[in-house]
Amino acid sequence: MLEFLLDPNIAYLLIVAALLLTLVAIIVPGTGAPEAALMVCLLAAAYIVYQFGINLWAAIVLALSVVPFFVALRAKKWRIPLLIATFLLLTVGSVFLFTGLNGWPLVNPLLSVIVSVLSGAFIWFSADRAVIAMQRAPVQNPDALIGKIGETRTAIHFEGSVQIGGELWSARSEKPIEARKSVRILRREGLILTVEEESK
């Protein structure tokens, strides 16, 4: 039933897919989809490795390919060399994972070139999108509320609520403030605003 997995080319594709899914799981953790697909590929890869055996040095190279990629996501300098290193480690390790008696790869050279180019493009695009997402400022910065004027929805002293720009926030104040009064935001502590009544 699983004989088709014993084709070196299929084995190669599954190993590369597992590695790329590992990188996706690093970029987008907790969604479940990359992790589930990764588990399927890993199970298939485990069967392949059991049947074929692997070159230990190539497996080590493959494992190391995740390291420069992970560093590249957080590094401001050397990002391009780190991504190139990821691509080279992934390519060399996966191509030489299955070899014949003469030491040459069993994987079709044309397939390895095509997959290497596509995986390299994927690595580059994924890293670029991840870096942009990490560097993007939050759409709503709660600290930007400091100094703004809002309106109390309830009486406020040790607790209460205030509306600012269409949003309702928990608030407190040093002095009692009645409902429907204009207040100025002094500071923010977590999700609680400290306010004072706006003088007329």
Side-chain angles (χ1 to χ4, degrees), residues 12 19 27 60 66 75-76 80 99 110 132 150-151 160 184 190 199:
Y12 166 72
L19 287 163
I27 298 172
I60 294 172
V66 179
K76 293 183 179 180
I80 292 177
T99 56
L110 179 60
I132 290 174
E151 184 180 73
R184 181 177 298 275
S199 57

Side-chain angles (χ1 to χ4, degrees), residues 138-200:
V139 176
Q140 295 181 345
N141 181 7
D143 289 332
L145 295 173
I146 297 173
K148 290 193 173 182
I149 304 298
E151 184 180 73
T152 58
R153 285 304 186 211
T154 66
I156 296 177
H157 192 194
F158 299 110
E159 61 181 21
S161 60
V162 60
Q163 185 167 1
I164 306 156
E167 293 183 339
L168 200 62
W169 288 80
S170 295
R172 60 186 170 209
S173 61
E174 294 181 359
K175 299 178 180 179
I177 304 174
E178 297 177 0
R180 303 295 178 183
K181 296 290 184 178
S182 293
V183 293
R184 181 177 298 275
I185 313 305
L186 299 179
R187 57 185 175 274
R188 179 182 67 87
E189 298 176 16
L191 298 177
I192 300 176
L193 304 177
T194 299
V195 301
E196 68 176 1
E197 188 171 357
E198 179 70 359
S199 57
K200 298 180 180 180

Side-chain angles (χ1 to χ4, degrees), residues 62-86:
L62 280 176
L64 290 175
S65 67
V66 179
V67 176
F69 180 79
F70 192 74
V71 175
L73 294 181
R74 289 156 176 77
K76 293 183 179 180
K77 295 181 179 180
W78 305 104
R79 182 169 294 136
I80 292 177
L82 286 167
L83 291 176
I84 292 174
T86 302

